């Protein structure tokens, strides 16, 4: 028989075979000591101090990441709200015939130098439509420093009398304003 080292296909026997021609009857057979404890298949549990340390490291990492995220968000918000880069430089108003651009901007609460992130488009448009001559308004902010306002003004088509007062009526038949001296005749 040939001697080959054990591999995956062959299993070694408990005692290796004697090579041919070298058998010595005076040497006692080698005994295998199986009294040593074998390593168990389940992993060792870490000690309590190691478990506590691992949990503490995880908690510390989470706190650092959350804290850094909050600081970055706060710094970014502060920069966006206070940087002169985002100050209103241009207020463009379209569709005004009866009202001046200054009157529309005043109703909207828009002033040059105001931070663009403090402009709420819906509430600004609602402020403009409080003027009876304005039928609709849309406000659009354009970064970094422009606001575009588009308004639709009412056209007075006729004057109606209700009781003793005179009112203006638009092209859709809606009464929108009491007649004043500054209104068209």
């Amino acid at each position: 028989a040939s001697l080959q080292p054990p591999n995956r296909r062959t299993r070694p026997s408990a005692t290796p075979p004697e090579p041919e021609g070298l058998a010595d009857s005076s040497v006692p057979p080698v005994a295998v000591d199986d009294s040593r404890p074998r390593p168990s298949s389940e992993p060792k549990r870490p000690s309590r101090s190691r478990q506590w340390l691992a949990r503490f490291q995880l908690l510390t990492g989470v706190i650092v990441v959350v804290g850094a995220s909050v600081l970055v968000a706060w710094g970014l918000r502060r920069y966006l709200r206070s940087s002169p880069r985002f100050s209103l430089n241009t207020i463009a108003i379209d569709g005004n015939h009866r009202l001046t651009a200054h009157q529309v901007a005043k109703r909207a609460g828009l002033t040059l130098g105001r931070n663009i992130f403090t402009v709420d488009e819906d509430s600004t448009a609602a402020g403009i439509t409080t003027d009876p001559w304005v039928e609709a308004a849309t406000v659009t902010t354009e970064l970094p420093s422009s606001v575009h306002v588009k308004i639709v003004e009412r056209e007075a088509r006729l004057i109606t009398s209700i009781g003793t007062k005179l009112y203006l009526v638009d092209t859709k038949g809606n009464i929108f304003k009491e007649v004043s001296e500054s209104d068209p005749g």
Side-chain angles (χ1 to χ4, degrees), residues 59-185:
L59 180 64
T60 303
V62 168
I63 289 172
V64 166
V65 168
V66 169
S69 300
V70 167
L71 284 175
V72 166
W74 177 78
L76 180 63
R77 182 181 185 275
R78 184 170 180 225
Y79 170 74
L80 292 175
R81 294 277 177 140
S82 63
S83 173
R85 176 169 172 72
F86 301 107
S87 298
L88 283 180
N89 293 330
T90 306
I91 302 171
I93 300 173
D94 292 331
N96 59 322
H97 303 292
R98 176 135 182 85
L99 300 173
T100 65
H102 179 72
Q103 289 172 324
V104 174
K106 186 176 178 182
R107 288 258 184 203
L110 298 174
T111 56
L112 294 177
R114 180 178 173 186
N115 188 285
I116 196 163
F117 293 108
T118 62
V119 175
D120 180 27
E121 294 174 351
D122 295 331
S123 64
T124 304
I128 296 169
T129 56
T130 58
D131 189 295
W133 284 102
V134 178
E135 184 176 344
T138 56
V139 177
T140 309
T141 56
E142 297 171 5
L143 292 176
S145 60
S146 297
V147 173
H148 185 78
V149 178
K150 182 168 175 60
I151 63 172
V152 177
E153 289 185 345
R154 290 186 169 99
E155 277 188 57
R157 285 296 181 193
L158 51 115
I159 298 175
T160 185
S161 172
I162 300 177
T164 60
K165 295 183 180 180
L166 298 175
Y167 294 93
L168 293 174
V169 179
D170 65 8
T171 56
K172 295 178 183 175
N174 298 322
I175 299 172
F176 67 93
K177 174 180 182 325
E178 187 176 350
V179 175
S180 65
E181 293 178 15
S182 63
D183 293 332

Side-chain angles (χ1 to χ4, degrees), residues 4-12:
Q4 293 181 353
N7 61 26
R8 291 184 197 163
R9 295 182 193 162
T10 62
R11 293 185 183 185

